[in-house]
Amino acid sequence: VARRLIMSFSYNKLWKLLIDKNMNKAELRQLTGLSPNTMARLSKGESVKMDIVGRICEQLHCNVGDIVDFVPEEKQI
């Protein structure tokens, strides 16, 4: 049985940062110009392009590690 590494991301730090800044997801979307599709991907912990992560970091004045964690998962195939 082979094992494959599945890439998964956690944006829990982003959601906590929004709370600290007294901001909601709709305000983040408006501030960064993110599409509803991208916000859905973030909410589901799915990958998004680095330029989107960069745009969020720019607007929130933070670094990538302040908003996202990589969570490796192994899956049997």
Side-chain angles (χ1 to χ4, degrees), residues 11-68:
Y11 298 98
N12 288 340
K13 289 180 179 179
L14 171 60
W15 311 135
K16 288 176 186 172
L17 184 60
L18 290 182
I19 291 168
D20 291 345
K21 292 184 176 278
N22 200 25
M23 184 183 291
N24 62 36
K25 291 180 182 182
E27 291 168 326
L28 174 67
R29 189 173 158 252
Q30 186 175 32
L31 181 68
T32 57
L34 299 178
S35 71
N37 216 19
T38 299
M39 287 303 297
R41 291 182 67 81
L42 290 168
S43 295
K44 294 176 188 175
E46 297 176 355
S47 64
V48 296
K49 292 182 178 182
M50 284 303 294
D51 65 318
I52 290 170
V53 173
R55 202 178 332 159
I56 294 169
C57 289
E58 181 179 29
Q59 293 299 319
L60 297 181
H61 308 288
C62 64
N63 288 312
V64 174
D66 296 330
I67 64 169
V68 64

Side-chain angles (χ1 to χ4, degrees), residues 6-10 44-46 69-73:
I6 305 294
M7 288 193 297
S8 182
F9 299 90
S10 170
K44 294 176 188 175
E46 297 176 355
D69 282 319
F70 172 69
V71 184
E73 297 178 18

